[in-house]
Amino acid sequence: KVILELQDMCVGYSEPIVRNVSLKVEENTIWSLIGGNGAGKSTLLKSLFGLTRCFSGTLLLDGAPIQNLSPAERVRKGMGIVPQGRCNFPLMSVRENLEMGAYTLSHSEAKRAMERVLQMFPVLRQKLGESAGNLSGGEQQILETAMALETGPRVLLLDEPSLGLSPKMQQEVFENVESLRGEGLTVIMAEQNILGSLMISDRAFVLDLGTKLMEGAAREVLEDPKIKVAFLGADPEEAV
Ligand code: ADP
Ligand code: MG
Ligand code: MG
């Protein structure tokens, strides 16, 4: 069942940056949104959350248009986002950060939400009393994902969760994203670590200069000669 559908969307800032993107996202799938630096990944991801200007096109959630809704209204309809870069409260404890993530919920709902995300990410339970800013980058990314999950989104947007992390931590973050499979969640993950993100994704959408280069099963995209040459350092002669 399609949960999110982009119909010929053009989005950007003072002028369009990402043009004519159409895409159907099925429920319970993990998507990689890949492309080089400046390809428009963040612009497209933010547009799904109402954080950029929509010049034309339609965005459907559960079949109903949402392109004119505010970010807060999209959260109420079941969307969540973890923006690119750090987005926690570094001087607050992990527990306090999780309380912030749940601040729109009632006291009892917040307690349940916190317990639910601690079960998803056991690494956080040992760190509840520590300042978020003292956690490793990978643990901070996991905390930020947990905060976004507390309100129970059905569509989670992750913008470069592996950015700036060591290879080992990147792997840990991807494993944590993969562990969300089966939680009734659709994940759209912008990434430059193409190998790492495609390994845990069902489908992939490739952006180049603000337009769609390719879309398909993650495995097929990973094995595509164009992708191997453009992003994975393959020799053009050998890739085919
Ligand atoms: P990516 O996430 O793939 O690296 P972005 O979506 O951040 O790419 O950027 C795509 C293009 O949009 C770039 O040319 C960038 O300069 C431009 N851009 C990004 N943010 C803004 C902004 N706030 N205002 C105007 N242009 C922007
Ligand atoms: Mg970038
Ligand atoms: Mg970006």
Side-chain angles (χ1 to χ4, degrees), residues 13 33 40-47 52 84 159-160 190 207:
Y13 307 95
L33 172 57
K41 302 181 296 297
S42 293
T43 303
L44 182 58
L45 207 66
K46 287 187 287 182
S47 77
T52 59
Q84 186 173 322
D159 200 350
E160 295 213 42
L207 264 181

Side-chain angles (χ1 to χ4, degrees), residues 145-165:
T145 305
M147 289 164 72
L149 286 172
E150 287 184 286
T151 52
R154 292 173 295 133
V155 178
L156 179 66
L157 310 171
L158 300 176
D159 200 350
E160 295 213 42
S162 81
L163 190 69
L165 304 181

Side-chain angles (χ1 to χ4, degrees), residues 28 31 37 49 79 90 92 107 122 129 138 146 159 166 179 186 193 218 240:
N28 298 311
W31 278 78
N37 212 5
F49 203 70
M79 302 191 69
M92 292 189 194
H107 183 68
D159 200 350
S166 69
S179 75
T186 300
N193 181 339
V240 209

Side-chain angles (χ1 to χ4, degrees), residues 84-121:
Q84 186 173 322
R86 293 281 67 85
C87 60
N88 60 55
F89 300 91
L91 300 180
M92 292 189 194
S93 68
V94 167
R95 182 188 298 282
E96 288 164 336
N97 270 273
L98 291 173
E99 284 166 3
M100 294 301 286
Y103 83 101
T104 54
L105 305 178
S106 72
H107 183 68
S108 60
E109 281 174 335
K111 269 184 80 170
R112 270 200 302 277
M114 204 186 288
E115 189 49 42
R116 187 167 47 79
V117 297
L118 287 173
Q119 262 166 31
M120 286 181 186
F121 307 113

